[in-house]
Amino acid sequence: MKPIKNNRFFFTALLMIIFSVQMKAGSVAGNDSVHRFFREGAVTIEDQGPYYLVTLDYTKEPDPRKMGEMYGHCILKAEPDYESIVGYYMFEIATLEGLWGKTVPEHLAAIRPQLPSSYNEELAGLATVMKGSWTWTNEELIYCFNLLPDLFRTTQCSAFGCWGEASANGKNVAYRTLDWFGGLFAKELPLIQSVTRIRYSNKTIYLIGALGHLGCITGINVNTGIMAGILDSDVSGTTYDPIGCSSYNFDLRKALEDCSGTGTLAAELTSKSKKYAFSHLILLADKRQTSILENNISGLGTHSSRSLRYDTSQLNPGIKWSHPHIIGAVNCFMLKGQVNNFSEGKHKKINERRWSLMLDKLKSRLVASKNMLTPADIQSIMCSYYGDSPGSLLLNDGDLYNLQTQQMMLYTPAERSLKVFIKPKKGANPANPSPFFYNIPLEP
Protein backbone atom coordinates (compact mmCIF):
# COMPACT_ATOMS: atom_id res chain seq x y z
CA MET A 1 0.00 0.00 0.00
CA LYS A 2 1.46 3.33 -1.06
CA PRO A 3 1.95 5.89 1.73
CA ILE A 4 -0.51 8.79 1.79
CA LYS A 5 1.19 12.03 2.75
CA ASN A 6 -1.83 14.29 3.27
CA ASN A 7 -3.02 15.23 6.71
CA ARG A 8 -5.04 12.51 8.46
CA PHE A 9 -7.54 14.80 10.06
CA PHE A 10 -8.23 16.74 6.85
CA PHE A 11 -9.13 13.55 5.00
CA THR A 12 -11.22 12.20 7.85
CA ALA A 13 -13.14 15.47 8.25
CA LEU A 14 -13.69 15.75 4.49
CA LEU A 15 -15.01 12.22 4.21
CA MET A 16 -17.34 12.68 7.18
CA ILE A 17 -18.74 15.94 5.75
CA ILE A 18 -19.44 14.27 2.41
CA PHE A 19 -20.98 11.31 4.22
CA SER A 20 -23.29 13.55 6.26
CA VAL A 21 -24.45 15.40 3.15
CA GLN A 22 -25.14 12.12 1.39
CA MET A 23 -27.16 10.79 4.30
CA LYS A 24 -29.41 13.86 4.30
CA ALA A 25 -29.81 13.89 0.52
CA GLY A 26 -30.28 10.16 -0.10
CA SER A 27 -33.30 9.38 -2.22
CA VAL A 28 -35.70 6.54 -1.63
CA ALA A 29 -34.14 3.26 -2.66
CA GLY A 30 -34.61 1.71 -6.07
CA ASN A 31 -34.48 -1.92 -7.15
CA ASP A 32 -32.66 -3.60 -10.01
CA SER A 33 -34.31 -6.71 -11.42
CA VAL A 34 -31.65 -7.56 -14.05
CA HIS A 35 -30.73 -11.25 -14.16
CA ARG A 36 -27.43 -12.38 -15.66
CA PHE A 37 -25.53 -15.66 -15.39
CA PHE A 38 -21.77 -16.28 -15.43
CA ARG A 39 -19.73 -19.48 -15.24
CA GLU A 40 -16.05 -20.25 -14.82
CA GLY A 41 -15.37 -23.96 -14.26
CA ALA A 42 -16.82 -24.97 -10.89
CA VAL A 43 -17.98 -21.42 -10.07
CA THR A 44 -21.21 -19.72 -11.08
CA ILE A 45 -22.47 -16.22 -10.36
CA GLU A 46 -26.10 -15.27 -10.89
CA ASP A 47 -26.92 -11.58 -10.86
CA GLN A 48 -30.25 -11.49 -9.03
CA GLY A 49 -30.47 -7.71 -9.27
CA PRO A 50 -30.26 -6.72 -5.59
CA TYR A 51 -27.49 -9.25 -4.91
CA TYR A 52 -25.25 -11.88 -6.50
CA LEU A 53 -25.87 -15.58 -5.91
CA VAL A 54 -22.50 -17.34 -6.01
CA THR A 55 -21.83 -21.09 -6.07
CA LEU A 56 -18.42 -22.62 -5.42
CA ASP A 57 -18.79 -26.34 -6.13
CA TYR A 58 -16.02 -28.42 -4.56
CA THR A 59 -17.62 -31.60 -5.89
CA LYS A 60 -16.41 -30.44 -9.32
CA GLU A 61 -13.06 -28.90 -8.34
CA PRO A 62 -11.34 -30.06 -5.12
CA ASP A 63 -8.31 -27.76 -5.36
CA PRO A 64 -8.95 -24.55 -3.34
CA ARG A 65 -6.34 -22.52 -5.23
CA LYS A 66 -7.92 -23.38 -8.55
CA MET A 67 -11.32 -22.64 -7.04
CA GLY A 68 -10.06 -19.20 -6.03
CA GLU A 69 -8.74 -18.55 -9.53
CA MET A 70 -12.04 -19.58 -11.09
CA TYR A 71 -13.92 -17.37 -8.66
CA GLY A 72 -11.70 -14.40 -9.52
CA HIS A 73 -12.26 -14.79 -13.24
CA CYS A 74 -16.00 -15.17 -12.70
CA ILE A 75 -16.14 -12.04 -10.50
CA LEU A 76 -14.49 -9.95 -13.20
CA LYS A 77 -17.00 -11.20 -15.75
CA ALA A 78 -19.91 -10.25 -13.49
CA GLU A 79 -18.45 -6.99 -12.17
CA PRO A 80 -15.56 -5.64 -14.30
CA ASP A 81 -15.08 -2.70 -11.89
CA TYR A 82 -14.78 -5.01 -8.89
CA GLU A 83 -11.19 -4.07 -8.03
CA SER A 84 -11.81 -0.33 -8.18
CA ILE A 85 -14.97 -0.71 -6.06
CA VAL A 86 -13.20 -2.73 -3.36
CA GLY A 87 -9.97 -0.74 -3.50
CA TYR A 88 -11.67 2.61 -3.04
CA TYR A 89 -13.96 1.21 -0.35
CA MET A 90 -11.00 0.03 1.73
CA PHE A 91 -9.20 3.32 1.16
CA GLU A 92 -12.22 5.09 2.67
CA ILE A 93 -12.19 2.82 5.71
CA ALA A 94 -8.43 3.19 6.21
CA THR A 95 -8.78 6.98 5.90
CA LEU A 96 -11.63 7.19 8.39
CA GLU A 97 -9.70 5.07 10.89
CA GLY A 98 -6.42 6.92 10.36
CA LEU A 99 -4.51 3.84 9.19
CA TRP A 100 -1.88 5.21 6.84
CA GLY A 101 1.00 3.96 4.73
CA LYS A 102 2.13 0.44 5.53
CA THR A 103 0.04 0.06 8.69
CA VAL A 104 -2.72 -2.10 7.22
CA PRO A 105 -0.36 -4.37 5.21
CA GLU A 106 1.75 -4.86 8.35
CA HIS A 107 -1.31 -5.88 10.35
CA LEU A 108 -2.33 -8.21 7.52
CA ALA A 109 1.12 -9.81 7.50
CA ALA A 110 0.72 -10.63 11.21
CA ILE A 111 -2.65 -12.39 10.80
CA ARG A 112 -2.33 -14.09 7.41
CA PRO A 113 -0.01 -16.94 8.54
CA GLN A 114 -2.68 -18.21 10.94
CA LEU A 115 -5.33 -18.63 8.22
CA PRO A 116 -6.45 -22.26 7.73
CA SER A 117 -4.44 -23.52 4.76
CA SER A 118 -7.36 -24.29 2.44
CA TYR A 119 -8.80 -20.80 2.90
CA ASN A 120 -5.39 -19.25 2.36
CA GLU A 121 -5.19 -21.15 -0.92
CA GLU A 122 -8.62 -19.89 -1.97
CA LEU A 123 -7.59 -16.30 -1.36
CA ALA A 124 -4.18 -16.78 -3.00
CA GLY A 125 -5.88 -18.14 -6.12
CA LEU A 126 -8.36 -15.27 -6.12
CA ALA A 127 -5.54 -12.72 -5.77
CA THR A 128 -3.59 -14.08 -8.76
CA VAL A 129 -6.43 -13.02 -11.06
CA MET A 130 -6.45 -9.44 -9.78
CA LYS A 131 -4.09 -6.58 -10.62
CA GLY A 132 -4.58 -4.35 -7.60
CA SER A 133 -6.35 -1.03 -7.39
CA TRP A 134 -6.09 2.40 -5.80
CA THR A 135 -3.26 2.09 -3.26
CA TRP A 136 -3.52 -1.71 -2.91
CA THR A 137 -1.53 -4.51 -4.51
CA ASN A 138 -3.52 -7.51 -5.78
CA GLU A 139 -2.82 -9.54 -2.63
CA GLU A 140 -3.55 -6.62 -0.30
CA LEU A 141 -6.82 -6.02 -2.11
CA ILE A 142 -8.09 -9.57 -1.64
CA TYR A 143 -6.66 -10.40 1.78
CA CYS A 144 -7.48 -7.06 3.42
CA PHE A 145 -11.05 -7.19 2.09
CA ASN A 146 -11.48 -10.71 3.42
CA LEU A 147 -9.92 -9.86 6.79
CA LEU A 148 -11.89 -6.64 7.28
CA PRO A 149 -13.35 -7.78 10.65
CA ASP A 150 -9.81 -8.45 11.90
CA LEU A 151 -8.24 -5.25 10.57
CA PHE A 152 -10.93 -2.56 10.93
CA ARG A 153 -13.82 -1.77 13.27
CA THR A 154 -16.58 -1.03 10.77
CA THR A 155 -19.66 -2.61 12.35
CA GLN A 156 -22.39 -1.84 14.90
CA CYS A 157 -24.74 -4.81 14.76
CA SER A 158 -27.60 -6.33 16.75
CA ALA A 159 -29.21 -9.75 17.17
CA PHE A 160 -32.30 -11.44 18.56
CA GLY A 161 -33.70 -14.92 19.10
CA CYS A 162 -36.98 -16.43 20.27
CA TRP A 163 -37.94 -20.09 20.83
CA GLY A 164 -40.00 -22.51 22.92
CA GLU A 165 -42.92 -21.07 24.88
CA ALA A 166 -42.14 -17.53 23.70
CA SER A 167 -42.36 -18.51 20.02
CA ALA A 168 -45.80 -18.58 18.38
CA ASN A 169 -44.81 -21.57 16.23
CA GLY A 170 -42.73 -23.19 18.99
CA LYS A 171 -39.62 -23.03 16.81
CA ASN A 172 -36.45 -21.08 17.28
CA VAL A 173 -36.42 -17.94 15.14
CA ALA A 174 -33.16 -16.00 14.93
CA TYR A 175 -32.62 -12.47 13.63
CA ARG A 176 -29.35 -10.82 12.79
CA THR A 177 -28.71 -7.23 11.67
CA LEU A 178 -25.46 -6.25 9.97
CA ASP A 179 -24.77 -2.53 10.26
CA TRP A 180 -21.64 -1.94 8.23
CA PHE A 181 -20.09 1.14 6.68
CA GLY A 182 -20.90 0.65 3.01
CA GLY A 183 -18.87 3.45 1.47
CA LEU A 184 -19.50 7.15 0.95
CA PHE A 185 -22.50 7.81 -1.28
CA ALA A 186 -23.35 4.12 -0.64
CA LYS A 187 -21.80 3.30 -3.98
CA GLU A 188 -19.36 0.57 -3.00
CA LEU A 189 -20.52 -2.29 -0.77
CA PRO A 190 -24.22 -2.23 -1.81
CA LEU A 191 -23.12 -2.90 -5.40
CA ILE A 192 -21.44 -6.21 -4.59
CA GLN A 193 -23.57 -7.82 -1.88
CA SER A 194 -23.84 -11.55 -2.31
CA VAL A 195 -25.11 -14.87 -1.02
CA THR A 196 -22.36 -17.45 -1.49
CA ARG A 197 -23.08 -21.18 -1.53
CA ILE A 198 -20.07 -23.44 -0.96
CA ARG A 199 -20.87 -27.02 -1.81
CA TYR A 200 -18.72 -29.90 -0.55
CA SER A 201 -19.29 -33.62 -1.02
CA ASN A 202 -20.81 -33.99 2.47
CA LYS A 203 -22.13 -30.51 3.36
CA THR A 204 -23.17 -27.14 2.02
CA ILE A 205 -22.74 -23.76 3.69
CA TYR A 206 -24.09 -20.34 2.82
CA LEU A 207 -22.18 -17.12 3.50
CA ILE A 208 -24.15 -13.87 3.37
CA GLY A 209 -21.79 -11.01 2.68
CA ALA A 210 -20.10 -9.54 -0.37
CA LEU A 211 -18.71 -10.69 -3.68
CA GLY A 212 -15.20 -12.06 -3.21
CA HIS A 213 -15.49 -12.32 0.59
CA LEU A 214 -15.04 -15.90 1.79
CA GLY A 215 -14.98 -15.47 5.57
CA CYS A 216 -18.08 -15.91 7.72
CA ILE A 217 -19.76 -12.58 8.46
CA THR A 218 -23.05 -14.45 8.58
CA GLY A 219 -23.22 -18.13 7.67
CA ILE A 220 -25.52 -21.14 7.71
CA ASN A 221 -24.63 -24.82 7.53
CA VAL A 222 -27.51 -26.38 5.61
CA ASN A 223 -26.78 -29.86 6.99
CA THR A 224 -26.70 -28.95 10.70
CA GLY A 225 -29.04 -25.97 10.41
CA ILE A 226 -26.69 -23.85 12.53
CA MET A 227 -26.52 -20.12 11.86
CA ALA A 228 -23.59 -17.97 13.02
CA GLY A 229 -22.97 -14.24 12.71
CA ILE A 230 -20.27 -11.89 13.99
CA LEU A 231 -20.86 -8.70 15.99
CA ASP A 232 -18.21 -6.29 17.20
CA SER A 233 -17.77 -5.62 20.95
CA ASP A 234 -15.22 -2.85 21.32
CA VAL A 235 -13.54 -2.40 24.71
CA SER A 236 -12.34 1.19 25.19
CA GLY A 237 -8.73 1.64 26.19
CA THR A 238 -7.44 -1.60 24.71
CA THR A 239 -4.55 -1.63 22.24
CA TYR A 240 -4.75 -3.31 18.85
CA ASP A 241 -2.12 -6.06 18.63
CA PRO A 242 -2.40 -8.47 15.67
CA ILE A 243 0.82 -10.39 16.35
CA GLY A 244 0.02 -14.12 16.44
CA CYS A 245 -3.69 -13.49 15.96
CA SER A 246 -6.05 -15.64 13.94
CA SER A 247 -8.90 -14.37 11.79
CA TYR A 248 -12.09 -14.87 13.76
CA ASN A 249 -14.36 -14.71 10.73
CA PHE A 250 -12.36 -17.46 8.98
CA ASP A 251 -12.12 -19.52 12.16
CA LEU A 252 -15.89 -19.16 12.37
CA ARG A 253 -16.31 -20.45 8.83
CA LYS A 254 -14.18 -23.49 9.64
CA ALA A 255 -16.08 -24.20 12.85
CA LEU A 256 -19.39 -23.76 11.05
CA GLU A 257 -18.28 -26.27 8.44
CA ASP A 258 -16.84 -28.80 10.90
CA CYS A 259 -18.97 -28.70 14.07
CA SER A 260 -22.27 -30.50 14.55
CA GLY A 261 -23.47 -28.39 17.51
CA THR A 262 -23.29 -24.81 18.78
CA GLY A 263 -21.47 -25.91 21.94
CA THR A 264 -18.57 -27.49 20.06
CA LEU A 265 -18.54 -24.55 17.66
CA ALA A 266 -18.24 -22.09 20.54
CA ALA A 267 -15.48 -24.20 22.09
CA GLU A 268 -13.45 -23.87 18.89
CA LEU A 269 -13.70 -20.08 18.94
CA THR A 270 -12.90 -19.79 22.66
CA SER A 271 -9.93 -22.13 22.70
CA LYS A 272 -6.93 -20.71 24.60
CA SER A 273 -4.86 -21.38 21.50
CA LYS A 274 -6.97 -18.86 19.58
CA LYS A 275 -5.87 -15.25 19.95
CA TYR A 276 -7.87 -12.55 18.16
CA ALA A 277 -7.17 -8.87 17.54
CA PHE A 278 -10.67 -7.68 18.51
CA SER A 279 -13.15 -8.68 21.19
CA HIS A 280 -16.43 -9.70 19.61
CA LEU A 281 -19.76 -11.48 19.88
CA ILE A 282 -21.08 -14.36 17.80
CA LEU A 283 -24.76 -15.09 17.33
CA LEU A 284 -25.38 -18.85 17.34
CA ALA A 285 -28.72 -20.43 16.47
CA ASP A 286 -29.84 -24.02 15.97
CA LYS A 287 -33.28 -25.60 15.95
CA ARG A 288 -33.44 -25.52 19.78
CA GLN A 289 -32.39 -22.01 20.81
CA THR A 290 -30.33 -18.90 20.16
CA SER A 291 -27.29 -17.98 22.24
CA ILE A 292 -24.61 -15.26 22.16
CA LEU A 293 -20.92 -16.09 22.41
CA GLU A 294 -19.14 -13.32 24.31
CA ASN A 295 -15.51 -13.57 23.20
CA ASN A 296 -13.82 -11.09 25.57
CA ILE A 297 -10.24 -10.97 24.33
CA SER A 298 -9.32 -7.93 26.45
CA GLY A 299 -9.03 -9.84 29.73
CA LEU A 300 -10.76 -6.93 31.48
CA GLY A 301 -13.59 -7.28 33.97
CA THR A 302 -13.99 -8.75 37.44
CA HIS A 303 -14.52 -12.16 35.85
CA SER A 304 -13.42 -11.87 32.23
CA SER A 305 -14.59 -14.79 30.13
CA ARG A 306 -15.01 -16.19 26.65
CA SER A 307 -18.37 -17.84 27.22
CA LEU A 308 -21.86 -18.39 25.87
CA ARG A 309 -24.68 -16.17 27.13
CA TYR A 310 -28.14 -17.70 27.37
CA ASP A 311 -31.57 -16.27 28.15
CA THR A 312 -31.18 -17.32 31.80
CA SER A 313 -27.57 -16.17 32.32
CA GLN A 314 -26.66 -13.81 35.16
CA LEU A 315 -25.89 -10.35 33.80
CA ASN A 316 -23.82 -7.36 34.83
CA PRO A 317 -25.36 -4.77 37.19
CA GLY A 318 -27.60 -2.33 35.34
CA ILE A 319 -28.65 -4.82 32.65
CA LYS A 320 -32.01 -6.43 33.25
CA TRP A 321 -33.55 -9.28 31.29
CA SER A 322 -36.72 -11.06 32.35
CA HIS A 323 -37.77 -12.85 29.16
CA PRO A 324 -37.24 -16.63 29.15
CA HIS A 325 -36.77 -18.24 25.74
CA ILE A 326 -35.81 -14.86 24.26
CA ILE A 327 -32.37 -13.30 23.87
CA GLY A 328 -31.04 -10.06 22.42
CA ALA A 329 -27.68 -8.43 21.77
CA VAL A 330 -26.10 -5.13 20.80
CA ASN A 331 -22.36 -4.44 20.57
CA CYS A 332 -21.34 -5.14 24.15
CA PHE A 333 -20.77 -7.83 26.75
CA MET A 334 -23.50 -8.54 29.28
CA LEU A 335 -22.46 -11.62 31.25
CA LYS A 336 -21.83 -11.00 34.94
CA GLY A 337 -18.16 -10.21 35.53
CA GLN A 338 -17.39 -9.07 32.00
CA VAL A 339 -15.90 -5.63 31.38
CA ASN A 340 -18.65 -3.01 31.22
CA ASN A 341 -18.64 -1.80 27.62
CA PHE A 342 -22.43 -1.35 27.72
CA SER A 343 -22.90 1.72 29.92
CA GLU A 344 -19.24 2.81 29.86
CA GLY A 345 -16.79 3.54 27.06
CA LYS A 346 -17.10 5.29 23.72
CA HIS A 347 -20.10 3.25 22.56
CA LYS A 348 -22.11 3.86 25.75
CA LYS A 349 -24.80 6.04 24.16
CA ILE A 350 -25.48 3.91 21.12
CA ASN A 351 -25.52 0.61 23.04
CA GLU A 352 -27.91 1.98 25.67
CA ARG A 353 -30.24 3.55 23.12
CA ARG A 354 -30.44 0.47 20.91
CA TRP A 355 -30.92 -1.83 23.91
CA SER A 356 -33.66 0.43 25.28
CA LEU A 357 -35.39 0.47 21.89
CA MET A 358 -35.21 -3.32 21.62
CA LEU A 359 -36.68 -3.77 25.12
CA ASP A 360 -39.47 -1.25 24.52
CA LYS A 361 -40.51 -2.81 21.23
CA LEU A 362 -40.24 -6.32 22.69
CA LYS A 363 -42.53 -5.47 25.60
CA SER A 364 -45.07 -3.87 23.25
CA ARG A 365 -45.12 -6.89 20.93
CA LEU A 366 -45.43 -9.33 23.84
CA VAL A 367 -48.47 -7.46 25.15
CA ALA A 368 -50.05 -7.32 21.70
CA SER A 369 -49.36 -10.99 20.91
CA LYS A 370 -50.16 -12.54 24.31
CA ASN A 371 -46.51 -13.27 25.14
CA MET A 372 -45.81 -15.31 22.00
CA LEU A 373 -43.84 -13.80 19.12
CA THR A 374 -44.31 -14.61 15.46
CA PRO A 375 -41.48 -14.18 12.91
CA ALA A 376 -43.30 -11.04 11.76
CA ASP A 377 -43.23 -9.70 15.35
CA ILE A 378 -39.49 -10.29 15.54
CA GLN A 379 -38.91 -8.55 12.24
CA SER A 380 -41.01 -5.61 13.45
CA ILE A 381 -38.91 -5.30 16.63
CA MET A 382 -35.61 -5.42 14.78
CA CYS A 383 -36.69 -2.97 12.07
CA SER A 384 -37.41 -0.27 14.68
CA TYR A 385 -36.09 3.27 14.78
CA TYR A 386 -36.78 6.32 16.93
CA GLY A 387 -37.85 8.98 14.42
CA ASP A 388 -39.99 9.12 11.30
CA SER A 389 -37.27 7.42 9.27
CA PRO A 390 -34.10 5.45 10.02
CA GLY A 391 -31.25 7.64 11.24
CA SER A 392 -27.48 7.43 11.06
CA LEU A 393 -25.74 4.95 13.31
CA LEU A 394 -22.52 6.91 12.85
CA LEU A 395 -24.25 9.89 14.47
CA ASN A 396 -25.35 7.77 17.45
CA ASP A 397 -29.07 7.90 16.68
CA GLY A 398 -29.41 4.42 18.23
CA ASP A 399 -31.80 2.93 15.70
CA LEU A 400 -31.89 -0.86 15.34
CA TYR A 401 -32.62 -0.42 11.64
CA ASN A 402 -30.67 2.53 10.32
CA LEU A 403 -28.96 4.11 7.34
CA GLN A 404 -25.91 1.87 7.77
CA THR A 405 -27.90 -1.37 7.85
CA GLN A 406 -26.51 -3.46 4.99
CA GLN A 407 -28.24 -6.78 5.63
CA MET A 408 -30.77 -8.36 7.98
CA MET A 409 -31.59 -12.07 8.26
CA LEU A 410 -34.71 -13.76 9.62
CA TYR A 411 -33.96 -17.47 10.00
CA THR A 412 -35.87 -20.50 11.28
CA PRO A 413 -33.33 -23.36 11.60
CA ALA A 414 -35.88 -26.18 11.90
CA GLU A 415 -37.37 -25.19 8.54
CA ARG A 416 -34.14 -23.99 6.89
CA SER A 417 -36.19 -20.88 6.11
CA LEU A 418 -34.18 -17.72 5.40
CA LYS A 419 -35.30 -14.21 4.50
CA VAL A 420 -32.59 -11.61 3.88
CA PHE A 421 -32.86 -7.83 3.68
CA ILE A 422 -30.36 -6.51 1.15
CA LYS A 423 -29.54 -2.81 1.25
CA PRO A 424 -30.71 -1.24 -2.01
CA LYS A 425 -28.03 -0.30 -4.52
CA LYS A 426 -29.46 3.18 -5.02
CA GLY A 427 -30.49 5.78 -2.46
CA ALA A 428 -30.90 5.67 1.30
CA ASN A 429 -32.51 2.82 3.22
CA PRO A 430 -36.30 3.21 3.00
CA ALA A 431 -38.53 3.78 6.03
CA ASN A 432 -40.23 0.46 5.29
CA PRO A 433 -37.62 -2.24 4.57
CA SER A 434 -40.16 -5.05 4.00
CA PRO A 435 -40.07 -4.93 0.15
CA PHE A 436 -36.32 -5.49 0.29
CA PHE A 437 -36.45 -8.83 2.12
CA TYR A 438 -35.80 -11.76 -0.22
CA ASN A 439 -36.47 -15.45 0.32
CA ILE A 440 -33.22 -17.39 -0.07
CA PRO A 441 -33.72 -21.12 -0.80
CA LEU A 442 -31.13 -23.07 1.19
CA GLU A 443 -30.36 -25.84 -1.27
CA PRO A 444 -27.76 -28.56 -0.58
Side-chain angles (χ1 to χ4, degrees), residues 140-313:
E140 290 171 353
L141 184 84
I142 295 303
Y143 278 89
C144 288
F145 185 55
N146 273 272
L147 270 63
L148 273 173
D150 307 290
L151 299 171
F152 306 101
R153 300 208 103 119
T154 60
T155 62
Q156 289 288 332
C157 307
S158 54
F160 191 90
C162 172
W163 63 95
E165 295 178 1
S167 173
N169 61 17
K171 299 173 182 176
N172 183 28
V173 182
Y175 197 101
R176 181 272 204 283
T177 299
L178 176 69
D179 301 321
W180 196 302
F181 173 68
L184 298 175
F185 302 105
K187 66 179 183 180
E188 285 89 47
L189 199 58
L191 297 178
I192 57 171
Q193 294 185 96
S194 71
V195 175
T196 300
R197 173 174 53 205
I198 304 179
R199 181 180 290 138
Y200 300 98
S201 60
N202 61 343
K203 60 199 165 196
T204 298
I205 67 164
Y206 280 72
L207 303 174
I208 299 93
L211 203 61
H213 194 284
L214 291 167
C216 182
I217 299 171
T218 309
I220 294 171
N221 184 318
V222 178
N223 299 72
T224 65
I226 294 173
M227 177 188 195
I230 62 173
L231 297 83
D232 190 26
S233 186
D234 191 11
V235 178
S236 296
T238 56
T239 302
Y240 180 83
D241 179 15
I243 302 301
C245 287
S246 299
S247 165
Y248 73 90
N249 81 115
F250 275 94
D251 280 358
L252 181 57
R253 174 183 161 186
K254 182 166 178 54
L256 185 66
E257 290 180 352
D258 294 347
C259 297
S260 59
T262 56
T264 54
L265 191 157
E268 287 292 322
L269 273 294
T270 57
S271 169
K272 292 182 179 179
S273 65
K274 297 290 186 181
K275 178 187 174 187
Y276 300 116
F278 291 133
S279 292
H280 56 270
L281 310 175
I282 297 176
L283 166 75
L284 293 173
D286 59 18
K287 66 180 182 180
R288 298 178 301 108
Q289 65 179 347
T290 300
S291 56
I292 306 295
L293 174 59
E294 297 193 352
N295 223 352
N296 183 0
I297 308 301
S298 73
L300 299 177
T302 59
H303 185 66
S304 174
S305 66
R306 301 171 64 179
S307 306
L308 282 167
R309 172 164 65 86
Y310 299 99
D311 57 315
T312 57
S313 296

Side-chain angles (χ1 to χ4, degrees), residues 24-74:
K24 297 296 182 182
S27 60
V28 175
N31 197 353
D32 181 3
S33 59
V34 174
H35 184 93
R36 301 176 297 154
F37 183 86
F38 306 91
R39 182 185 296 276
E40 183 74 29
V43 177
T44 61
I45 297 178
E46 299 177 56
D47 186 350
Q48 303 285 353
Y51 64 96
Y52 290 101
L53 176 60
V54 179
T55 300
L56 277 61
D57 194 341
Y58 274 101
T59 68
K60 297 179 178 178
E61 176 51 68
D63 187 322
R65 181 176 283 261
K66 290 182 180 178
M67 185 67 77
E69 292 172 359
M70 292 175 181
Y71 189 21
H73 285 298
C74 210

Side-chain angles (χ1 to χ4, degrees), residues 202-443:
N202 61 343
K203 60 199 165 196
T204 298
I205 67 164
Y206 280 72
L207 303 174
I208 299 93
L211 203 61
H213 194 284
L214 291 167
C216 182
I217 299 171
T218 309
I220 294 171
N221 184 318
V222 178
N223 299 72
T224 65
I226 294 173
M227 177 188 195
I230 62 173
L231 297 83
D232 190 26
S233 186
D234 191 11
V235 178
S236 296
T238 56
T239 302
Y240 180 83
D241 179 15
I243 302 301
C245 287
S246 299
S247 165
Y248 73 90
N249 81 115
F250 275 94
D251 280 358
L252 181 57
R253 174 183 161 186
K254 182 166 178 54
L256 185 66
E257 290 180 352
D258 294 347
C259 297
S260 59
T262 56
T264 54
L265 191 157
E268 287 292 322
L269 273 294
T270 57
S271 169
K272 292 182 179 179
S273 65
K274 297 290 186 181
K275 178 187 174 187
Y276 300 116
F278 291 133
S279 292
H280 56 270
L281 310 175
I282 297 176
L283 166 75
L284 293 173
D286 59 18
K287 66 180 182 180
R288 298 178 301 108
Q289 65 179 347
T290 300
S291 56
I292 306 295
L293 174 59
E294 297 193 352
N295 223 352
N296 183 0
I297 308 301
S298 73
L300 299 177
T302 59
H303 185 66
S304 174
S305 66
R306 301 171 64 179
S307 306
L308 282 167
R309 172 164 65 86
Y310 299 99
D311 57 315
T312 57
S313 296
Q314 288 188 300
L315 306 179
N316 266 336
I319 304 175
K320 296 181 180 180
W321 188 259
S322 57
H323 304 289
H325 302 121
I326 302 175
I327 198 167
V330 291
N331 292 100
C332 62
F333 300 126
M334 294 189 173
L335 282 173
K336 186 175 181 179
Q338 295 277 44
V339 60
N340 181 8
N341 59 349
F342 169 67
S343 60
E344 296 179 2
K346 62 182 180 181
H347 300 298
K348 170 185 183 296
K349 177 181 176 182
I350 197 165
N351 279 331
E352 289 184 325
R353 281 179 60 81
R354 287 187 301 148
W355 187 246
S356 177
L357 181 60
M358 186 186 294
L359 286 176
D360 288 346
K361 296 299 182 180
L362 170 59
K363 291 175 183 177
S364 296
R365 295 312 305 171
L366 286 173
V367 170
S369 60
K370 298 181 180 179
N371 295 317
M372 297 178 70
L373 300 177
T374 66
D377 290 329
I378 295 170
Q379 181 174 319
S380 174
I381 292 167
M382 296 302 286
C383 288
S384 299
Y385 44 86
Y386 280 101
D388 296 329
S389 61
S392 172
L393 202 65
L394 298 182
L395 300 178
N396 281 338
D397 287 340
D399 294 336
L400 291 171
Y401 166 62
N402 53 77
L403 293 173
Q404 282 69 53
T405 298
Q406 296 292 326
Q407 297 165 354
M408 296 184 282
M409 298 101 200
L410 181 67
Y411 177 56
T412 306
E415 299 174 350
R416 305 298 195 271
S417 170
L418 176 66
K419 289 173 59 180
V420 179
F421 165 86
I422 303 288
K423 183 180 179 68
K425 291 182 178 181
K426 299 177 183 178
N429 278 347
N432 177 17
S434 296
F436 298 90
F437 275 86
Y438 305 96
N439 291 315
I440 307 295
L442 295 177
E443 301 172 352

